[in-house]
Amino acid sequence: MEKVKKLYVALVVLFLYAPIGVLVAQSFNASRYRGHWTGFTLQWYGELFQNEGILDALQNTVTIGLSSAAIATVLGLITCMALRGMGRKPRSVFLGVASMPLLNADIVTGISLMLLFLGMGLRLGYGSILMAHVVFNLPYVILCIMPQFLSLDRSCYDAADENLCRTEIGHPSGNVRPFDVSLRLRPGLRRLAHRQPQAPDPGTELVGGLS
């Protein structure tokens, strides 16, 4: 039975990636027709890097991909920090709403965003594509980061506060900020936070938010 499962997985992977392999192999075909192999050549790659339109498209693809990933990561991190401070029910509702783009087909989300941008009077172009990709990426970022945030112990935040306090108070300038002093005056609150019951299992709560 185990061999049958492995064979099934291998067939699925082959079905998914075999067309990509064929496409890569045909890119070195000297013939213009993919069904007729006439020899190995790098001619098409030479023409590719001489086409300004394709190079511009490649540049837009790379910059939009990197920029949208970076922006979505920052926004997702801030969102997860805010969600961790919410109650369990509001957090589950928000996670359910944030996960809707994962359930919709990409074409549906894309057309919806296009209609939204047109309704807002925005010009379709590089900026609108960047914002759309951020919307696409943000649910995946939240899905990946949120379980880690829910599994963090409260002492991690307390340790960060204490280190910040010591760093600022021990600054060579000798300046003591009111915020730093307030950190020193909260040991009782920290002890109470440590005595609170442990947070629920992050995986269970995240699944509940997606359902």
Side-chain angles (χ1 to χ4, degrees), residues 38-56:
T38 58
F40 181 88
T41 183
L42 297 176
Q43 173 187 355
W44 310 123
Y45 285 96
E47 295 184 5
L48 171 67
F49 290 106
Q50 294 177 358
N51 191 314
E52 294 183 0
I54 294 180
L55 292 179
D56 290 340

Side-chain angles (χ1 to χ4, degrees), residues 12-29:
V12 171
V13 172
L14 180 64
F15 177 78
L16 291 175
Y17 290 98
I20 300 177
V22 172
L23 182 62
V24 172
Q26 289 293 335
S27 67
F28 299 101
N29 188 3

Side-chain angles (χ1 to χ4, degrees), residues 188-204:
L189 295 179
R190 291 196 181 101
R191 294 193 189 98
L192 291 176
H194 286 305
R195 293 178 183 176
Q196 292 178 355
Q198 295 182 352
D201 181 55
T204 304

Side-chain angles (χ1 to χ4, degrees), residues 60 64 117-118 122-133:
N60 291 335
I64 288 176
F117 294 151
L118 292 176
L122 298 179
R123 181 177 177 272
L124 299 181
Y126 187 92
S128 62
I129 295 177
L130 178 59
M131 288 187 290
H133 279 75

